[in-house]
Amino acid sequence: MLGLTGLVVPLTVALGAAPARAASCTTQTGPYQKQVEKFMGRPVDGKQSPADCKATQTFQRWHGITPTVGYAGEITWRTMNTILQQRAAGKTPNAAGKCPTTKGRIACVDLTRQLSWIQDGARLAYGPVPVRTGRDGDETRTGARKVYHRNINHWSTLYKVWMPYAQFFDGGQAFHSVGKSMYNPPGSRGCVNMREADAKAYWSMLKNGDDVFVYGRKPGT
């Protein structure tokens, strides 16, 4: 089971695994400099340094955040803050009781923390795992829904893309896997994007008629 481990590639790994370095690196201190430095384990002095920029660039490039100039701006910090909230959820993502526990098997989606998990009543059955939901203007709709159609390799005639392990639950919005970071902005066109292993697990655990509950609000929408 893939849970919170592996939410983010550790910085030491990412530095060696990320694509080629950007051609330029900003010397400008960003409005979220201290927060970004703390997240990355850098000295927290609130001043941009070449090492700060390199680490921030790596994070940006790994997750598709542009421009990749190492600036500690709003989107970079928002992404990091979401990751911190996901880590804090641990194995009790429904501690606040916002996802119903009286429905039997249910897939929960928390837009605020960009997390999803599957419950059997109050018991955590899978997750929580990071997800990528709808962007501003194409938000993933909230409320109680049910899985109504499944297609293991769906082709979107609207967006001309494959949607592996697609499980539709609300007017064209579905769980499905994508081959990009869950933190790649600005987000999906409304679907709940997942890593392949998580989408496969959802495929094996859910069926038509199972409940889905979506709540919260994605940061930046």
Side-chain angles (χ1 to χ4, degrees), residues 21 24 50 123 157 160 212:
R21 297 173 187 169
S24 61
R123 183 182 71 84
T157 56
K160 312 301 181 187
V212 177

Side-chain angles (χ1 to χ4, degrees), residues 74-75 78 82 110-114 132-142 185-190 214-221:
E74 180 180 0
I75 294 176
R78 181 193 299 156
T82 295
D110 179 351
L111 300 178
T112 303
R113 295 180 294 175
Q114 293 289 279
R132 179 176 179 264
T133 66
R135 64 188 70 186
D136 191 29
D138 287 307
E139 291 86 355
T140 305
R141 294 179 288 272
T142 58
S188 74
R189 293 287 187 176
V214 182
Y215 68 93
R217 182 172 180 175
K218 181 178 181 176
T221 64

Side-chain angles (χ1 to χ4, degrees), residues 179-200:
K180 61 178 64 178
S181 168
M182 293 298 98
Y183 308 102
N184 181 266
S188 74
R189 293 287 187 176
C191 285
V192 177
N193 294 165
M194 313 186 82
R195 300 175 298 193
E196 182 179 12
D198 297 326
K200 288 174 70 173

Side-chain angles (χ1 to χ4, degrees), residues 4-185:
L4 290 172
T5 57
L7 277 179
V8 184
V9 175
L11 188 58
T12 53
V13 175
L15 285 171
R21 297 173 187 169
S24 61
C25 198
T26 185
T27 59
Q28 186 176 359
T29 295
Y32 298 94
Q33 190 72 38
K34 287 186 177 181
Q35 294 95 318
V36 168
E37 289 168 346
K38 182 177 180 181
F39 177 90
M40 296 186 300
R42 300 283 309 144
V44 181
D45 59 11
K47 298 177 182 179
Q48 178 79 312
S49 70
D52 289 342
C53 186
K54 180 182 176 182
T56 305
Q57 273 188 320
T58 298
F59 180 88
Q60 291 168 338
R61 291 171 70 80
W62 192 265
H63 297 300
I65 299 170
T66 56
T68 54
V69 295
Y71 182 69
E74 180 180 0
I75 294 176
T76 298
W77 168 241
R78 181 193 299 156
T79 304
M80 292 176 173
N81 191 47
T82 295
I83 292 168
L84 291 174
Q85 291 185 64
Q86 291 174 343
R87 290 174 178 170
K91 285 296 181 180
T92 56
N94 201 38
K98 293 185 178 180
C99 193
T101 59
T102 58
K103 298 277 190 179
R105 177 151 294 186
I106 184 169
C108 309
V109 180
D110 179 351
L111 300 178
T112 303
R113 295 180 294 175
Q114 293 289 279
L115 276 182
S116 184
W117 63 93
I118 295 175
Q119 294 175 186
D120 282 329
R123 183 182 71 84
L124 181 65
Y126 187 85
V129 297
V131 292
R132 179 176 179 264
T133 66
R135 64 188 70 186
D136 191 29
D138 287 307
E139 291 86 355
T140 305
R141 294 179 288 272
T142 58
R145 305 287 189 266
K146 289 182 181 291
V147 176
Y148 68 87
H149 177 67
R150 289 160 33 99
N151 187 336
I152 199 166
N153 201 19
H154 181 78
W155 172 254
S156 170
T157 56
L158 182 60
Y159 298 114
K160 312 301 181 187
V161 295
W162 290 105
M163 298 167 57
Y165 306 103
Q167 300 190 81
F168 293 86
F169 57 85
D170 184 10
Q173 296 189 350
F175 296 110
H176 69 88
S177 70
V178 293
K180 61 178 64 178
S181 168
M182 293 298 98
Y183 308 102
N184 181 266

